[in-house]
Amino acid sequence: HIKGKRRANCRVGIIGGPGSGKSTLLKHLATAYAQNMHKRYNKKAPKLIPILLYLRDIQDIVISSEPGKKDLATVIESQDWIQPLNPRLGWFHTQLMRKRCLVMLDGLDELANTETLIHVSRWFDEQASKYSGNAFILTSRPYGYEAAKLHRLDYVQEVQPLEHSKIKAFVGKCYLKHERATRSLSRNTPPVIEAAKKNGGNLIGRIVESRSLQRMSMNPLLLTMITTVHCTGNELPKSRSALYEAICNVFLSDTQHGRNINYGLSNIE
């Protein structure tokens, strides 16, 4: 739904910075449609066949000089994850012609160079026109979208920074999960809720007191990192570079020693 209207055939561009959740959104949509759970989010959502493609993986096919290989249906059938499904020849072309698909193309900005980006954007316009009536979602960071010059998008939506209420809710849920895992429990018992409220509240207080943490916590990926670092009892960083270093220490150093795992990597300085 866009602006309250049922548009199964709309073509939407989602623009956002790194870590803003663009790829996660597409994965979530693909999973929801594949498991027939999409109506839990919107009862009027049409039933569609989800197709998720990463543009960095198909760019060589798209820029090839053989027109037959560049057709969207052919590109879909060439993907490794399709082979186990063993669809009959031409099945995806038929579904696209019958306007039954949700085509999600991730990472326009991740292409090799500007020339390839422009070439792929032209290919998108061609396929969106050829298979009009299907739903298309394309994601990109701002600079990729600005260089692409797309002409077949009906709407362009920009991912907004997380509001404080969303940050607070996210931290609360993360700490509930963390406390359950720490106690090897499958449900939220009173001690779990109390500990999660206390520790989550401590983190929210730290975020409110620090402008740098406030800025970083508006990004979903960075907020996940901040919460993970705080959950493991490490010192919260004051800059993005320090946060990256801390999260690497958590996942590579702390986990390696804590679980006696040898990754074959030297210690992080």
Side-chain angles (χ1 to χ4, degrees), residues 118-224:
I118 294 174
H119 197 118
V120 171
S121 67
R122 189 180 301 123
W123 171 83
F124 170 80
D125 286 339
E126 293 171 353
Q127 301 306 310
S129 178
K130 178 177 180 178
Y131 294 111
S132 62
N134 293 281
F136 285 83
I137 301 178
L138 181 145
T139 71
S140 177
R141 296 182 187 181
Y143 75 84
Y145 171 72
E146 291 166 5
K149 299 180 180 178
L150 294 158
H151 301 290
R152 293 291 181 179
L153 290 176
D154 299 313
Y155 301 93
V156 177
Q157 304 291 322
E158 186 172 355
V159 180
Q160 299 300 306
L162 290 174
E163 299 175 352
H164 180 73
S165 60
K166 300 295 184 182
I167 294 171
K168 188 175 180 180
F170 178 88
V171 169
K173 290 180 179 179
C174 283
Y175 258 102
L176 282 172
K177 183 177 180 180
H178 173 73
E179 295 299 334
R180 287 201 307 268
T182 300
R183 293 169 168 78
S184 300
L185 297 173
S186 60
R187 60 189 182 89
N188 295 331
T189 62
V192 164
I193 296 173
E194 183 179 353
K197 185 176 181 179
K198 177 183 176 181
N199 295 324
N202 177 271
L203 175 55
I204 292 298
R206 299 283 295 280
I207 291 175
V208 170
E209 293 171 359
S210 170
R211 287 189 178 183
S212 62
L213 286 177
Q214 285 180 33
R215 289 193 297 270
M216 289 190 290
S217 65
M218 293 179 182
N219 179 286
L221 177 60
L222 298 184
L223 177 59
T224 301

